[in-house]
Amino acid sequence: MGSEIKVVPMRVLVTGGSGLVGKAIEHVVQEEGGKLEGEEWIFLSSKDADLVDVGQTRAVFEKYRPTHVIHLAAKVGGLYLHMKENLHFLRDNIKINDNVLQTAHEMGVTKMVSCLSSCIFPDKTTYPIDETMIHNGPPHDSNFGYSHAKRLIDVQNRAYYQQYGHRYTAVIPTNVFGPYDNFSIENGHVLSALVNKTHTAKKEGSPVNVCGSGAPRRQFIYSLDLGRLIVWVLREYEEIDPIILSVGEEEEISIKEAEDLIAKALDFTGKIQFDTTMSDGQMKKTASNAKLRRYRPNFTFTPLNEAIKMTCDWFVANYDIART
């Protein structure tokens, strides 16, 4: 009887494959034995297709004919860029997500894992937030365009399952950082922007200027840990409902504490200043990883100080090619 079942090796298409999380998944697949025999993993970048364009999206799916998709591609930016361009983030991300999901449906993709963001959580809520609370009120005003576009992926996943039985699901990481991030001081995410600022301040002998009070608290997840978990989700997680991928609530730290860890990793001994005229954004968005722990009780996260040190070392080594 068993010989009648033919298991076709996965052909996995990773959108946004050249970014922070895509590079982490590529490392897990190529360097840590995450790729099984016969499997094909294709990592797309924006050079391969503009996923805002449905024609280009269709063409790249027809070229590679994936059986599985990890959807990471998005128009993203730091807090201040989101605050300036909410409409652009809303429209471009809705187009990207609909093009990828609908094309996957039309071409018979078996399973898709999309990457959401903790910014989709309601602004006014109780903590910790879990997966059942995503739609319980509007997201924070600072990036409502991006947040609503990302929330719609969860809505579409449920609709594809209800109407067609598709196993499309999503992960919700907390604040991701690591090698290959966008370290732009203007548009990067908070931790990576601070790495660049601190490295620059050390070179110039100047103070580090941190935007905001340093009081907001965040749960940071190292990109390689996230990559390992996303590969697990693709292979083993069967729910349509999303799953939060995060360190525990007790690992949440303030931006000031994060900057202190960066300063230590980079041997920066100068002055650290906090510009309280700049917005803090959301003060906290503490997420529960209880669901993850039910599935993966023994998963070990890289200690934050080690992960920050490895990220700082990568940035310094690649400083000339990093986006600054």
Side-chain angles (χ1 to χ4, degrees), residues 105-118:
H105 157 65
E106 290 170 358
M107 300 196 65
V109 167
T110 303
K111 184 173 180 180
M112 178 171 341
V113 178
S114 295
C115 192
L116 308 186
S117 164
S118 59

Side-chain angles (χ1 to χ4, degrees), residues 266-314:
L266 289 170
D267 295 320
F268 176 77
T269 55
K271 188 175 181 183
I272 299 169
Q273 301 173 162
F274 294 89
D275 183 356
T276 54
T277 67
M278 300 288 281
S279 170
D280 272 327
Q282 212 162 347
M283 292 307 292
K284 64 183 287 183
K285 39 187 178 179
T286 317
S288 167
N289 72 350
K291 185 176 186 178
L292 172 63
R293 284 306 187 194
R294 287 198 296 275
Y295 279 102
R296 298 292 306 273
N298 299 316
F299 183 84
T300 303
F301 288 95
T302 305
L304 183 60
N305 62 330
E306 291 178 24
I308 286 178
K309 181 71 170 81
M310 289 188 284
T311 302
C312 288
D313 289 348
W314 184 91

Side-chain angles (χ1 to χ4, degrees), residues 92-120:
D92 282 357
N93 283 294
I94 284 176
K95 289 174 186 175
I96 290 168
N97 298 334
D98 188 56
N99 288 345
V100 171
L101 284 158
Q102 180 62 15
T103 304
H105 157 65
E106 290 170 358
M107 300 196 65
V109 167
T110 303
K111 184 173 180 180
M112 178 171 341
V113 178
S114 295
C115 192
L116 308 186
S117 164
S118 59
C119 71
I120 68 174

Side-chain angles (χ1 to χ4, degrees), residues 246-263:
S246 174
V247 298
E249 301 155 49
E250 69 282 357
E251 302 293 323
E252 187 175 57
I253 65 167
S254 70
I255 302 303
K256 181 185 183 304
E257 289 168 315
E259 171 56 27
D260 289 342
L261 289 172
I262 292 165

Side-chain angles (χ1 to χ4, degrees), residues 203-223:
K203 284 203 310 176
E204 296 176 350
S206 59
V208 174
N209 289 300
V210 181
C211 296
S213 67
R217 303 184 67 79
R218 296 292 183 263
Q219 289 154 290
F220 292 101
I221 180 170
Y222 187 46
S223 58

